[in-house]
Amino acid sequence: MTALRALVALAVVALATVLQVSLFPHFAWDGIVPNLALLVVVGAALVRGPQFAATLGFVAGVLIDLAPPADHIAGRWALALVVVGYLAGRARQDTRPTAIATVLTVAAASFVGTSIFALSGLLLHDPVVGVGEMLEVILVALVWDVLLTPFVLPPVMLLFHRLEPAQVAYR
């Protein structure tokens, strides 16, 4: 990966994180905001594959973990987004994904990522919400992420597709 590709990927994740922690709290639904960083990681996974997406997921997760007003043990989102990037990248097909497959991938990734974050809080004795409220948070986060999919994923996927190096034909 060239330095330019890495800088563009970092800039997209940083922009998503800034919007997620500064703008979207004003539109929160029961205090829950959409996870734009997760959507960027899923978009990268569908275009570039599991290795790139897992690496980008780690960077995105660390940014979310450290961005104010983080009130949890650092590393929980990093773990969740690494797993999301890897799994979504493994779901990638060599053909262009359909809209339904993309939305289903986002829904699964949102469920997995939010669940890992919530369960890691229980394991580390760092719960922000109780177990009963956790299911509601996971469901609302999933709905938010699916609703924003048509607005976020197409430009993100186009950007990562354009950043992808040209395939070399071997004889």
Side-chain angles (χ1 to χ4, degrees):
M1 172 179 247
T2 66
L4 177 62
R5 289 186 188 114
L7 285 175
V8 170
L10 180 62
V12 171
V13 165
L15 176 63
T17 302
V18 167
L19 290 174
Q20 182 174 324
V21 300
S22 64
L23 177 65
F24 279 94
H26 299 291
F27 303 105
W29 181 5
D30 286 339
I32 304 160
V33 298
N35 195 334
L36 294 179
L38 180 137
L39 293 175
V40 169
V41 170
V42 170
L46 292 174
V47 174
R48 300 293 307 274
Q51 184 178 3
F52 178 80
T55 304
L56 190 64
F58 176 76
V59 172
V62 168
L63 287 174
I64 293 171
D65 283 330
L66 299 179
D71 59 352
H72 59 273
I73 295 174
R76 290 173 54 200
W77 273 117
L79 171 66
L81 292 183
V82 166
V83 172
V84 162
Y86 179 77
L87 292 177
R90 296 291 295 167
R92 176 183 95 144
Q93 302 170 354
D94 290 331
T95 61
R96 183 178 169 159
T98 64
I100 293 172
T102 301
V103 171
L104 289 175
T105 303
V106 166
S110 179
F111 178 79
V112 167
T114 309
S115 296
I116 289 172
F117 177 78
L119 292 173
S120 66
L122 285 175
L123 291 174
L124 296 171
H125 302 291
D126 184 30
V128 176
V129 296
V131 176
E133 298 167 318
M134 213 178 288
L135 293 174
E136 180 184 345
V137 169
I138 292 169
L139 178 64
V140 171
L142 187 144
V143 169
W144 258 128
D145 294 340
V146 168
L147 287 175
L148 284 182
T149 296
F151 304 105
V152 176
L153 252 52
V156 166
M157 289 174 69
L158 179 64
L159 175 68
F160 284 119
H161 182 70
R162 290 191 178 181
L163 289 175
E164 191 171 1
Q167 300 295 323
V168 178
Y170 293 101
R171 296 177 196 242

